[in-house]
């Protein structure tokens, strides 16, 4: 492998020593062994560990073929899903898309839109209004097949598509990704004769971006899912070795050392706005995996330099309970230099002829030095470029690190019992059949 993502932890010694991190290596190794041997809590949700090597040519070809059909027949494809059934695809597509693709600029195929990730009435109204005169298709994704947000969006869009092109044609433009047997979406898809892809039982939502859940929307958007999987495979080969030098063990050990030293919040930082949604995906991965039993590092994210002008003050000078992990992209795709200006009224000639990326890199370096001096430990993950291969590497790196880190924290990283609390209350408030007792109880509280 010539190039790959790399982790650098040398700027955390303002809070934890190299020795303190090394002392956690045996714990990290034990945690990785639990992930690999499937012998600890949540062990029935470890199907993602060898998913890259298990994803065969036939599945990738099937996904690519379905993607081609949607690309051929649709100007717009709406991917419906929430949480793990949304964020991975959104993260990769936003990273690879032209920044102005939403306005039709250098669009790499159909316009990709997302729905079912909120219950915003205006959002759904405006989406349906936009779709009125568009030729559109739908990818509907729900592992459980019963999640309320995507179910509402799908009911609306399915009805709209059927009214527009008829039930039989609509069925050809809908692809469902769900459980092999269970759930309302499976039943509906089978009855309507939709093309379906399966989410394996052992792959939880937030670990599912490298399954059809992420791969189909990414392929529809025109990106190379084979390269994405290849990148993940490279990391699978490297990071499943419980040996010194394992980057995932190092990341997990370092963040746990920092947590134990009172650093309770990790901020994922990017200097490239294309990675904004990658941080949203990462927040879900770590938040849902670690935030339980009243424990867990709070995963936050900022886009720099944008947020240096909003959150910069807090990070530099606020309560010293934070650490940063910086996603540092080595090479931009395009070259743009700052022009010379003979009048120099804006005083910028001192950086004339420099690439914008060089200025950004100096902002990054300057910020790192300032934050380290200000008592913020800073880890750095370098990414050679924003390409499918490296995004695949990054995804797998964060997934396996998350499993290791969660076990080190002493929680089951693969369940999400806390997510149910709001659903129970919402169903009770909406008087869902089967929730009669809860409805009575909650109404008495109001
Ligand atoms: O990671 C998870 O398990 C969750 O975030 C789910 O992905 C999310 O709740 C959506 O669930 P489903 O795919 O069952 O609709």
């Amino acid at each position: 492998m010539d190039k790959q993502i790399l982790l650098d932890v040398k700027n955390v010694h303002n809070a934890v020593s190299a020795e303190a991190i090394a002392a956690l290596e045996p714990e990290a190794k034990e945690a990785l062994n639990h992930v690999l041997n499937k012998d600890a809590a949540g062990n029935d949700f470890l199907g993602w560990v060898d998913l890259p090597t298990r994803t065969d040519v036939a599945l990738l070809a099937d996904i690519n073929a379905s993607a081609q059909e949607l690309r051929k027949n649709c100007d717009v494809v709406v991917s419906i899903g929430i949480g793990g059934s949304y964020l991975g695809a959104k993260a990769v597509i936003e990273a690879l898309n032209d920044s102005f693709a939403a306005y039709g600029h250098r669009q790499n195929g159909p316009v990709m839109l997302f729905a079912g990730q909120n219950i915003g009435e205006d959002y759904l109204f405006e989406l349906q209004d936009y779709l009125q005169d568009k030729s559109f298709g739908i990818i509907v994704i729900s592992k459980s097949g019963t999640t309320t947000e995507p179910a509402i969006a799908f009911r609306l869009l399915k009805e709209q598509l059927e009214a527009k092109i008829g039930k039989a044609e609509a069925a050809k433009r809908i692809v469902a990704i769900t459980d092999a047997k269970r759930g309302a979406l499976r039943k509906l898809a089978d009855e309507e004769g939709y093309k379906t892809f399966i989410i394996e039982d052992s792959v939880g939502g937030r670990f599912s971006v490298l399954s059809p859940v992420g791969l189909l929307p990414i392929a529809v958007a025109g990106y190379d899912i084979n390269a994405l999987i290849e990148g993940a495979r490279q990391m699978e080969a490297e990071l499943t070795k419980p040996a010194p030098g394992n980057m995932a063990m190092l990341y997990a050990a370092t963040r746990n050392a920092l947590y134990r030293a009172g650093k309770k919040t990790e901020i994922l930082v990017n200097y490239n706005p294309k990675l904004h949604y990658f941080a949203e995906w990462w927040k879900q991965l770590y938040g849902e995996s670690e935030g339980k039993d009243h424990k867990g590092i709070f995963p936050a994210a900022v886009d720099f330099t944008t947020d240096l002008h909003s959150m910069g003050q807090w990070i530099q000078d606020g309560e010293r309970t934070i650490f940063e992990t910086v996603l540092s992209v080595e090479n931009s795709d395009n070259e743009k230099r700052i022009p010379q200006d003979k009048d120099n009224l804006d005083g910028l000639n001192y950086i004339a002829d420099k690439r914008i990326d060089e200025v950004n890199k100096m902002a990054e370096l300057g910020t790192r030095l300032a934050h380290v001096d200000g008592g913020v430990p800073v880890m750095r993950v370098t990414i050679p470029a924003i390409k499918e291969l490296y995004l695949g590497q990054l995804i797998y790196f964060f997934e396996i690190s998350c499993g290791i880190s969660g076990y080190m924290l002493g929680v089951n990283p693969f369940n999400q019992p806390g997510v149910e609390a709001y659903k129970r209350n919402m169903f009770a408030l909406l008087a869902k059949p089967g929730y009669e007792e809860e409805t009575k109880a909650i109404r008495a509280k109001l």
Side-chain angles (χ1 to χ4, degrees), residues 82-85 142-145 147 205-206 284 288 416:
I82 194 166
S85 294
S142 177
K143 182 176 179 187
S144 62
T147 308
R206 59 190 173 274
Q284 188 211 359
E288 266 189 3
Q416 54 285 328

Side-chain angles (χ1 to χ4, degrees), residues 45 80-87 141-151 177-178 185 199 203-208 213 284-285 288-289 414-416 419-420 422-423:
F45 284 100
I80 297 178
I82 194 166
S85 294
Y86 156 63
L87 284 163
I141 311 171
S142 177
K143 182 176 179 187
S144 62
T146 55
T147 308
T148 311
E149 292 90 336
I177 306 178
T178 189
L185 181 58
I199 311 174
V203 178
R206 59 190 173 274
F207 289 87
S208 69
V213 169
Q284 188 211 359
L285 181 64
E288 266 189 3
S289 299
F414 307 114
N415 64 3
Q416 54 285 328
V419 180
E420 296 311 310
Y422 98 90
K423 291 186 193 167

Side-chain angles (χ1 to χ4, degrees), residues 330-355:
E330 289 181 299
N331 296 297
S332 349
D333 260 6
N334 306 289
E335 188 175 320
K336 177 64 78 186
R337 290 180 187 272
I338 296 163
Q340 288 279 356
D341 184 311
K342 71 175 171 31
D343 297 327
N344 195 27
L345 292 178
D346 54 12
L348 277 187
N349 271 356
Y350 78 106
I351 47 172
D353 298 328
K354 283 194 194 301
R355 284 187 62 176

